[in-house]
Amino acid sequence: MNSRGSSQAQDAFRSGAFQRRIALIFVLQLIAVGISVMMGTYDMAPVWAVLALIVITTMLAWLAARRQWRPVSALARLVNGWDQHPDLEALSPQRLSRHTDADVASLARGLHGFATRIAGYTERERNFTRDASHELRSPLTVIKMSVDMLAEEEGLTDFGERSLQRIRRSTREMEALVEALLILARESDNGVDEEVFVVNDAVRHELDFARDMLVGRPIELQLEEPSRFALRGSPRVFAVLFWQLIRNACQQTERGRVVVTVMPGMVVVANQSEPLAEPASGGKMPLYGADRHGFELAIAQRISDRFEWPLELKTRPGSQNVASIRFPHTQAA
């Protein structure tokens, strides 16, 4: 009991020792400056000696304060390098000297506990996304294979063909959604499959999927390629981002066309809605405006912010909605 009380008393005494030492340094400096001024006032020393004494005491005070500040500076440098190479054990309480100031030790222990919890969250996130990736993709793969096998069966009715088409479309949309959510769920997944790929080829590949999804709908997909460029990044991430913009544009278009334009360092997706042949009930024509709060645009915006590919949304006259993705660093195709 006595040893415990003695330890608590020592911790209480050590707490605030850093401030006391800094205060003592500046009090001694103030006394030295005061004595120097008095010596100069009563002609006990020449002016140059008084000034030299003031400069020397100020420098000594600054050096002493800098020495006292050294543990805090070292702690700041250690924490500043955590983004690249986190070293949690460097702040472990067992590695702190018993002469360490109580305030600095308390700060180090708090940072160590916080960083340890963050590391645990990151590890659980990594395990969850890995397991979720497998558990979610496997059923989708089974569904796609089953649909392909059913499509080869003879004697399917028109209703069965339409049902298979809806299943195929929904599976593709679910696959893209799962891919997007898994990308956003990972904190450090920016360069998992980074490579140099041609943007035009990736756009054409996704448009082929989109045309399959639009079978039976009066929507035309057009591709214009006044430019051709390559990009260093994740083609999987680009495909997910582009697919979200295509899906959003098709959902905003009841009848019309969606034009994809590949420009220098930019991909533009614009949808143009045409008025229906027959007015809706009440004699009013339906309006097709950009739904800037749509789920697809929300995912696209988060991917854009995450990978620093600026996304810009505009609404032009004539019910034309335009989404532009800019790529700051491009390469020749």
Side-chain angles (χ1 to χ4, degrees), residues 34-154:
I35 293 174
S36 302
V37 171
M38 291 181 63
M39 292 174 61
T41 302
Y42 292 101
D43 294 330
M44 298 176 62
V47 176
W48 65 266
V50 172
L51 294 177
L53 185 59
I54 293 176
V55 171
I56 292 173
T57 54
T58 302
M59 290 295 297
L60 291 176
W62 178 78
L63 291 175
R66 182 181 179 184
R67 181 179 180 182
Q68 296 299 323
W69 185 256
R70 192 175 299 166
V72 180
S73 179
L75 182 62
R77 288 194 301 270
L78 178 64
V79 175
N80 188 49
W82 276 4
D83 285 344
Q84 288 78 25
H85 304 287
D87 185 9
L88 304 185
E89 293 304 319
L91 293 180
S92 177
Q94 291 78 11
R95 298 182 60 175
L96 295 177
S97 172
R98 63 187 184 90
H99 301 292
T100 303
D101 183 84
D103 294 332
V104 176
S106 177
L107 178 60
R109 284 194 296 268
L111 289 173
H112 179 265
F114 179 73
T116 302
R117 290 195 297 273
I118 292 297
Y121 296 153
T122 303
E123 183 65 24
R124 288 193 293 272
E125 174 197 67
R126 187 179 298 111
N127 294 335
F128 170 78
T129 52
R130 183 182 62 247
D131 297 338
S133 175
H134 174 74
E135 296 298 330
L136 293 175
R137 286 170 174 164
S138 296
L140 291 174
T141 303
V142 173
I143 293 173
K144 290 196 300 183
M145 293 176 61
S146 301
V147 169
D148 293 337
M149 293 175 63
L150 285 175
E152 296 177 358
E153 292 287 335
E154 298 181 358

Side-chain angles (χ1 to χ4, degrees), residues 171-233:
T171 304
R172 168 60 180 168
E173 293 177 354
M174 180 61 68
E175 191 176 27
L177 177 60
V178 168
E179 193 74 26
L181 295 179
L182 288 176
I183 288 173
L184 294 175
R186 294 176 179 173
E187 179 64 24
S188 56
D189 189 32
N190 290 16
V192 171
D193 55 348
E194 186 174 286
E195 61 183 70
V196 177
F197 65 97
V198 179
V199 171
N200 303 63
D201 298 340
V203 167
R204 281 196 294 270
H205 185 266
E206 293 303 314
L207 286 180
D208 290 339
F209 279 113
R211 289 188 179 93
D212 293 337
M213 301 300 105
L214 292 176
V215 173
R217 293 186 59 184
I219 300 177
E220 180 184 2
L221 289 179
Q222 295 182 0
L223 174 61
E224 298 178 356
E225 301 178 84
S227 177
R228 182 178 175 85
F229 66 92
L231 187 68
R232 182 171 186 81

Side-chain angles (χ1 to χ4, degrees), residues 287-298:
L287 299 177
Y288 306 102
D291 182 9
R292 297 181 184 272
H293 303 285
F295 187 62
E296 296 81 9
L297 290 183

